Amino acid sequence: MAAGSSKFITSMDQLMALYEAPSDVSIAKEIDYVSDHYRAFIEAAPFCALATCGPEGLDCSPRGDAPGFVRVADRKTLLLPDRRGNNRIDSLRNIMRDPRVALLFLIPGIGETIRVVGSAALSIDPELLAGFVVNGKTPSCVIVVTVEAVFYQCTKAIVRSKLWDPAGHVDRKMLPTAGAILAGLTAGRLGGAEHDRGQAERTLAKLY
């Protein structure tokens, strides 16, 4: 469908005409530092999504660990350890070339989410790294986020999605396995049943 079609929004004025002005609440909840209330949410979150951008495009990466894994160093600084992953380092390469980042924090059972926007740098300071050792494993680096904006997102998206409702949980057997996905993408060169049999063990062995 052509972008110039009347079925698309083609101007900012057209976009703004579709929506009411933001409420006082939606404006007041955004601040440029981590307040005590927002800190409580961040420290309770075992999961966040990290969005970055670079010359090749955008990236959004899941990050998770025990609640409090993202530390509030002060009202303007968050610390996020880079735990073991797939070594693509898409987020880290992006940060090296464009420091702009955004984070979305989720807490199981809680409807509100916390959004943080800022700029990031990668630290390999030995003292800082030592503070994030888990199971004897030190992260390769720590993402240091300078906070520019923090605000909470209301519960509507979580309520609509029933994300935390056990009745809506999907049986993993209803979706393709990692082995099946890899086999399909590589004409059987990678993946398959053998890959699936060892996945749980590999995951546990490479958490940190």
Side-chain angles (χ1 to χ4, degrees), residues 49-105:
L50 170 66
T52 60
C53 53
E56 290 84 18
L58 305 176
D59 185 69
C60 188
S61 172
R63 303 284 166 147
D65 210 331
F69 77 103
V70 176
R71 296 182 187 169
V72 182
D74 56 52
R75 288 159 75 88
K76 293 289 290 184
T77 311
L78 301 182
L79 304 174
L80 170 58
D82 188 60
R83 302 295 184 192
R84 291 183 68 176
N86 55 21
N87 290 326
R88 286 176 55 108
I89 59 172
D90 297 309
S91 300
L92 305 184
R93 287 188 290 107
N94 279 351
I95 289 170
M96 289 297 297
R97 296 171 294 180
D98 188 329
R100 292 176 296 171
V101 297
L103 300 100
L104 177 68
F105 291 89

Side-chain angles (χ1 to χ4, degrees), residues 158-172 174:
I158 301 299
V159 171
R160 285 192 296 258
S161 68
K162 299 183 179 179
L163 183 64
W164 307 129
D165 183 356
H169 289 183
V170 177
D171 184 346
R172 185 63 184 86
M174 298 295 292

Side-chain angles (χ1 to χ4, degrees), residues 17-32:
L18 290 174
Y19 294 89
E20 298 176 358
S23 67
D24 290 343
V25 170
S26 68
I27 299 300
K29 65 187 179 182
E30 181 178 342
I31 56 179
D32 63 358

